[in-house]
């Protein structure tokens, strides 16, 4: 049995446990970029998780009795000359282990027959434009056959909810790919750091630009077999690092600037997500180093509590405490005004310099699926990101196989009362952590994170 067959069998078991039913799942649509030119095609992650099939125009159907049916693009010599080989329905059972396969052209004709006499229908709700209408249409056709003895499914459920729980805990096959993706991305960060220092040692006409370093990242991703970046790379020179969703542009990196790179490749459908912040010329200034070491200490604190039995928010809380203390120690936050670290955590004053969370699930999607709160637990009073009291379930208990990023940062925009030496410094350090039996494994440490080690790497 392939991993995809095993996963489909698990879905069938879940349908059976829920009293029977049928699951219907389309892959992602193709997207036009502009005239005659599409965006590079990327399959739907859920669909790929259950099939390993990355052609567009396909649908998967699973029933509680364990049968799976694929609808895919029919063979078409003319289209295949232009766009590439299609698997086709005839070869699909052998290649993908599905029980039956049909041309996607027959979907509207066959779906009512597959849906009839099923107790419930499961499909991704509110994720594929027009899917609800399509399912309505098929159910309408089933209803029209009621007088011939057909029964119509009585309930509809979100298939994502079921798949999210499966995808949240990674299996050995997924972990192996995530490790490789992390390694490639780490190598790309090393290359970017080295190029940065080298290009400032031997200046080029026009200077060192953010896009030069982006090009190094892309080169390293692709030459190692990655299909594309897992998200748009951030290469931020100096003050640009304080813009959280900045993308690599054409700003010049000068000696004395910090450079923040947040970039990771996608490999065989799996993401990686790394941020490093380094001095463009290879040597931190004292002010940069001071803040850098605080962010690194915050990340260390978060890593220490990333282990089974801890909750998703524990690393965030650990990191935030270290950052808040660092903000008081450096004068970013005035003790006279803000008090001690517990006061800063209570008031949320640290949010002036640290406004995002310390992690997110990562897997097929860089911001991967999965509930962040513990299923089945009772809501309790908590503070939200704006410091308002809200009722919320406690955050998810970490289990082996979950993958989360750990990415604290400090971003200092010029403001009254903020020491000038820190103005426009933006620092984030991000690694991907696999929760293991006893703690966590950092998948992305092929690139140094310690300030002295970064300097050593960039020196030679
Ligand atoms: N690169 C996206 C993130 O760090 O969340
Ligand atoms: Mn991230
Ligand atoms: Mn990132």
């Amino acid at each position: 049995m392939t991993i995809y067959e095993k996963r489909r069998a698990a879905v069938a078991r879940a349908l059976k446990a829920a009293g029977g039913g049928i699951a219907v799942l389309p892959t992602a649509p193709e997207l036009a970029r502009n005239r005659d030119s599409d965006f590079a095609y990327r399959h739907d992650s859920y669909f790929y998780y259950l099939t390993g099939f990355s052609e567009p125009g396909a649908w998967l159907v699973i029933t509680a009795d364990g049968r799976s049916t694929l609808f895919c693009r029919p063979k078409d010599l003319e289209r295949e000359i232009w766009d590439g080989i299609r698997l086709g329905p005839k070869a699909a059972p052998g290649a993908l282990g599905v029980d039956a396969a049909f041309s996607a052209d027959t979907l509207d004709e066959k779906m009512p027959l597959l849906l009839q006499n099923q107790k419930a229908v499961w499909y991704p709700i509110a994720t594929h434009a027009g899917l609800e209408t399509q399912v309505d249409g098929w159910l309408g056709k089933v209803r029209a056959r009621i007088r011939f003895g057909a029964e119509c499914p009585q309930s509809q459920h979100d298939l994502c909810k079921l798949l999210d729980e499966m995808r949240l805990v990674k299996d050995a096959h997924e972990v192996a790919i995530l490790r490789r993706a992390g390694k490639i991305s780490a190598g790309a960060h090393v290359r970017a750091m080295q190029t940065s220092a080298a290009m400032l040692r031997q200046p080029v006409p026009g200077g060192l630009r953010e896009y030069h370093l982006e090009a190094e990242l892309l080169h390293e991703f692709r030459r190692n077999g990655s299909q594309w970046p897992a998200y748009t790379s951030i290469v931020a020179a100096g003050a640009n690092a304080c813009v959280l969703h900045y993308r690599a542009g054409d700003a010049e990196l000068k000696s004395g600037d910090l450079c923040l790179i947040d970039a990771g490749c996608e490999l065989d459908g799996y993401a990686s997500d790394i941020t490093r912040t380094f001095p463009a010329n290879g040597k931190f200034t004292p002010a940069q180093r001071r803040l850098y070491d605080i962010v690194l200490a915050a990340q260390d604190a978060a890593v220490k509590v990333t282990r089974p039995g801890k909750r998703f928010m524990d690393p965030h809380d650990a990191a935030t405490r270290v950052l808040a203390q660092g903000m008081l120690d450096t004068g970013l936050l005035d003790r006279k005004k803000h008090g001690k670290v517990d006061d800063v955590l209570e008031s949320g004053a640290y949010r002036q310099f640290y406004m995002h969370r310390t992690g997110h699930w990562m897997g097929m999607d860089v911001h991967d699926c999965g509930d962040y709160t513990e299923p089945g637990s009772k809501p309790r009073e908590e503070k939200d990101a704006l410091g308002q009291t809200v009722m919320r379930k406690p955050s998810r208990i970490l289990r082996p196989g979950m993958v989360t990023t750990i990415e604290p940062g400090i971003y200092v925009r010029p403001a009254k009362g903020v020491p000038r030496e820190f103005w426009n410094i933006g620092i984030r350090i991000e690694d991907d952590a696999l929760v293991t039996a006893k703690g966590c494994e950092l998948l992305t440490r092929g690139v140094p994170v310690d300030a002295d080690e970064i300097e050593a790497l960039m020196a030679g």
Side-chain angles (χ1 to χ4, degrees):
M1 240 195 193
T2 65
I3 43 151
Y4 306 108
E5 288 171 281
K6 281 189 196 149
R7 291 172 189 162
R8 293 197 295 267
V11 171
R13 280 198 302 278
L15 296 180
K16 201 165 172 192
I22 180 168
V24 183
L25 179 63
T27 191
E30 292 175 283
L31 279 181
R33 185 171 186 274
N34 54 30
R35 196 186 306 260
D36 286 346
S37 177
D38 286 349
F39 282 104
Y41 181 70
R42 166 56 157 77
H43 55 254
D44 174 78
S45 295
Y46 293 109
F47 182 87
Y48 189 78
Y49 182 72
L50 295 178
T51 61
F53 187 49
S54 55
E55 278 188 27
W59 295 69
L60 177 69
V61 178
I62 301 174
T63 43
D65 61 6
R67 277 184 67 78
S68 52
T69 305
L70 186 87
F71 290 87
C72 60
R73 299 178 308 177
K75 295 294 282 179
D76 179 331
L77 184 58
E78 173 69 11
R79 288 309 334 152
E80 290 181 54
I81 286 170
W82 289 93
D83 301 331
I85 298 287
R86 296 177 173 192
L87 178 65
K90 206 162 148 210
L96 305 174
V98 291
D99 297 291
F102 302 103
S103 162
D105 296 342
T106 65
L107 187 74
D108 286 334
E109 169 201 326
K110 292 218 158 53
M111 274 314 300
L113 298 172
L114 287 164
L115 286 165
Q116 73 179 14
N117 303 333
Q118 294 288 350
K119 214 169 151 336
V121 52
W122 297 64
Y123 61 95
I125 287 175
T127 41
H128 295 259
L131 181 57
E132 282 81 0
T133 313
Q134 218 165 347
V135 174
D136 276 357
W138 296 331
L139 293 177
K141 284 194 183 156
V142 177
R143 232 169 274 118
R145 296 167 55 84
I146 284 178
R147 62 203 158 90
F148 304 110
E151 285 185 37
C152 195
Q154 289 167 23
S155 58
Q156 303 187 19
H157 305 275
D158 188 6
L159 179 60
C160 295
K161 204 76 187 146
L162 195 161
L163 295 174
D164 286 351
E165 282 300 297
M166 290 173 66
R167 280 177 54 189
L168 181 56
V169 177
K170 276 68 181 172
D171 59 33
H173 169 90
E174 300 184 284
V175 167
I177 304 175
L178 287 165
R179 277 202 189 102
R180 276 170 39 225
K183 205 168 159 194
I184 294 170
S185 298
H189 279 259
V190 166
R191 186 182 174 111
M193 285 178 187
Q194 288 175 325
T195 302
S196 178
M199 284 180 74
L200 285 183
R201 274 195 295 270
Q202 287 201 321
V204 293
L208 169 63
R209 303 280 164 169
E210 291 165 342
Y211 57 74
H212 287 129
L213 301 187
E214 184 188 23
E216 299 299 321
L217 297 165
L218 295 175
H219 174 89
E220 199 67 17
F221 290 170
R222 198 70 184 111
R223 74 188 278 269
N224 284 290
S226 147
Q227 288 77 11
W228 34 57
Y231 52 92
T232 309
S233 308
I234 297 172
V235 180
N240 291 339
C242 296
V243 179
L244 296 180
H245 288 168
Y246 185 80
R247 309 201 146 165
D250 60 4
E252 186 173 1
L253 282 143
K254 299 202 192 77
S255 210
D257 285 344
L258 279 181
C259 176
L260 182 154
I261 294 185
D262 182 347
C265 72
E266 182 176 304
L267 179 72
D268 299 344
Y270 286 82
S272 52
D273 186 5
I274 304 183
T275 307
R276 288 292 182 268
T277 310
F278 57 89
N281 65 6
K283 189 89 189 118
F284 285 95
T285 66
Q288 290 167 350
R289 174 77 189 241
R290 189 122 192 256
L291 295 191
Y292 187 90
D293 285 345
I294 292 167
V295 177
L296 185 58
Q299 201 207 29
D300 280 344
V303 168
K304 284 202 177 76
V305 293
T306 302
R307 57 171 193 263
K310 288 287 180 187
R311 290 190 182 270
F312 174 78
M313 287 301 281
D314 287 338
H316 176 73
D317 294 342
T320 308
R321 176 169 287 274
V322 175
L323 293 173
Q325 183 64 57
M327 290 172 199
L328 291 169
D329 295 345
T330 50
L332 283 175
L333 291 176
D334 184 352
R335 284 178 201 279
K336 285 200 230 63
K337 189 164 160 212
H338 295 287
K340 294 203 166 66
V341 68
D342 286 317
D343 305 314
V344 170
L345 293 172
E346 174 68 21
S347 68
Y350 63 86
R351 290 197 187 94
Q352 181 180 353
F353 307 107
Y354 183 49
M355 57 299 277
H356 59 77
R357 277 204 308 196
T358 305
H360 52 79
W361 304 133
M362 202 202 69
M364 294 187 130
D365 302 340
V366 63
H367 287 194
D368 210 30
C369 57
D371 274 352
Y372 284 92
T373 56
E374 186 62 22
S377 53
K378 287 209 178 70
R380 60 185 186 189
E381 270 191 12
E382 266 187 26
K383 287 257 168 80
D384 72 4
L386 300 171
Q388 317 261 7
T389 302
V390 290
M391 291 299 283
R392 198 179 268 158
K393 287 183 188 174
S395 74
R396 191 95 200 203
I397 297 171
L398 298 177
R399 284 166 48 198
M402 292 176 170
V403 175
T404 176
T405 62
I406 306 180
E407 49 178 306
I410 288 184
Y411 313 90
V412 186
R413 287 174 173 274
K416 212 168 139 233
V418 174
R420 247 172 204 279
E421 58 179 327
F422 299 126
W423 283 16
N424 293 317
I425 293 179
I427 294 168
R428 178 164 64 257
I429 303 172
E430 173 174 31
D431 284 284
D432 305 339
L434 165 71
V435 181
T436 57
K438 293 220 175 94
C440 70
E441 173 189 339
L442 298 177
L443 305 173
T444 42
R445 280 293 171 90
V447 51
V449 69
D450 176 82
D452 288 334
E453 286 176 25
I454 288 176
E455 288 186 348
L457 174 82
M458 294 180 73

